[in-house]
Structure formats: C-alpha cells, structure tokens
Amino acid sequence: MMLRGRNAANADNVAAGKDANAGRPVKRHSAANNGGEKGEPTAKRVALKDVSNIRINSSKKATLKAENVKQGESYGKGRLARDVPASLDPCPGFDFDKENAGDLLSVSDYANDIFRYYKMREGRFRVSDYTKRQNHFAIKARPVLVDWMVELQEHFGLKHETLYLAVKLMDTYVSRTKDIIRRDSFHLISATAIFIACKYDESSLPLINDLIYVSEDSFTWDELCAMERQMFKVVGFDLGMPLSYRFLRRYAKVSWVDMTTLTLSRFILETSLMFVEFVVVPDSLMAAAAFLLALRMMKVGDWNPVLEKYSGYKLEDVEPLMWSLNHMMRVRPTLPKHSRLNQIFNKYSDETFFGVAETPLLEGGKSSSEPVGPPAALKTC
C-alpha cells in the first residue's frame, strides 16, 4: 500500500489554510506582544549570588538514599529481577566501559548505572497475562497487529526501539484497562501506540493522516487523539520502559560479536513479539535468551562470565528460556496460515539483514507437540 507523499500532503493542507497534521484551521497569532512593544523579559526572581553559607544536611541525604533503595527493592522483587551486587562480580578483570572510555557515543561513565537502573525498574513495567480476560484480542488480533506494526516500522523507517516501545505500550494498555477491547478498536490501539512511541524516540514522526490512511480509514483523527489521552491515562506518562532491544544491544556490545550474530538475535527477539505467551517474561531475560540462542546457532560462543556480569543472569537462568525460543522458531512455520505471519521472516531473509532467517535452528529441545511459551517457572515470577 502506497502512502501519500508527506511534502505534497503538507503543501495541500497549507494551501487550504489548515494544519498539515490535524487537518484543522491554523490559528494565527499576532507577532506583537505586550502591546506591540519589544524589550527584555522581566526577571522572575533575584539570582543567587552568594552560596558560601549554604550547607547540605547529610541526614536528609541518607534518608533519601534509604528511600530510593526501598523503592528499588519494591520494583525489583523476584529472583529474575534482582540487581547485580558489585561484590559478586564474576569477571573482575574486564571492564567494557573503561576500555571504551574514549567513545563519546558509549557514555561510558554512565552506561553501567543506566542498565542497572533499567533492571531495577523492570518490575514496575511487567505486563500481566491478559489472555483470559482479553482472549479475542490476545489470540487472534494481536499477532496480526504486531505484524502490521513491523510493516509500519519498515515503511516509515522508524527505529527498532520505537517498535518495541509501541508493542510494550499496547500490551500494557490492554492488560491494565478495565474495558474489554472491542474488535473495532484494534487498529486504533496499535496505531496510537506507534504514534506515542514515535514521539518518544523519533525526531520525525508519521502524520496522523498517514496513520489513518494506512489503517484504511478505520478510525478518525479525533478518535486517535482521544485514544492517545486514554492510553496515557491508563499506562501513565512514564515511557522510560526497559526494553528487551536495549538490553540486547548491550549484551552484544560487551561480547564484541559481529553484526551477523547481532542481527540473528534481533530476528529471534523480534519474532517473540508476535507471541503473547512471552509478555510476562522480563525484558532483560528475553534479550539474554535470544542472544544465547544466536550465539549457539552461529557457533561463535556461549554464556560466559562477561555476559553474566553485564546481564546479572547465570546460565541456568537463561538456558530454559533459550530452548523455549528455539521451539518457538521451529513451530512458527507450522502454525495455521492466519497465525503464520511472515513480515518479520521476510524482513530478515533479505540480504540487507544478512539473510539470518535461513540460519539452521538448534537440534533437540522441546517436542514439536508442546505449546509455545516460556518455562512454567517464569509464568509465576
């Protein structure tokens, strides 16, 4: 399906005296301000000139630190969401961030703390299993919507982080809303999730009219804006969600793997987005299992002390889920046609992505008759 040219659409709207994004009349404002007079703005308050007498109350600092630790513990409950104590460093002789201190893009001074913070916050953004309450959406509609979102991500040239955040927003909204999702709002919810995720991660986002067009006019401009407000109301305005894709890139960096191995792990992880069974698994663990499977499929390594150090997971934490992902990849082509959506497979079959979709899977593991999903222990974490 071809999208209308954005520049052409903007020109038409401007010529009609309308906002290009909203399709509504543009409000005109007077260039003059304060009665048409120009001048420096009045200061709101007097600047602080002498700070020599300011003293920091150390007792308040200690109290604040204790509150933060307590808050972190409440977000990180459970064996799989624990933070990694510095005293238990499994690989003390290696410091990736120190070795890359000269790379400004690596933000080496803060990278380790950033990912420890992500790990701490995972518990706050865990998605509950909503398959029973929202059965029709979860089983029949969700795979189709995720496949469509992947197509949008490619078509608009969006970042992978945008795709993962959009899927996370959609799942979080569906799991937390008190309403039963109606069939006529499926496309609206996924389009709204994409629109919000673009605002968070993209410098240039698709126009609302473009989203309406690719959705075949299944909703209106006003309906999307209303759903955006509703989604924020249910999900909240904190969009700094820990995403499996961010963890995956971190694991690949500290392991110094080649681009083909990273792309294969991305293919595995992106395929898992199609299966609602994995929404209950922590994002950091999903990334670890996808990366371990890619390492073994490419025969370039295995779980090691470096990965244990930077992920916080031991082999026994990751391996059962890795076999579940291997089983998922094997079962996907055998699913009924309405469930066997090929957008992700076709994407990673292209030479642009090194054709990693054709990489042979591991032998063994689960029987083909077993259902797709994470190990039973993870469903109750």
Side-chain angles (χ1 to χ4, degrees), residues 171-195:
D171 285 329
T172 303
Y173 173 77
V174 175
S175 67
R176 293 183 183 180
T177 184
K178 296 178 181 179
D179 302 326
I180 300 299
I181 306 299
R182 304 191 315 271
R183 185 190 300 268
D184 59 358
S185 63
F186 289 167
H187 260 107
L188 175 60
I189 291 172
S190 57
T192 304
I194 282 278
F195 188 59

Side-chain angles (χ1 to χ4, degrees), residues 143-154:
V144 178
L145 292 175
V146 173
D147 188 74
W148 180 72
M149 293 164 85
V150 172
E151 186 177 3
L152 284 189
Q153 182 255 326
E154 278 199 283

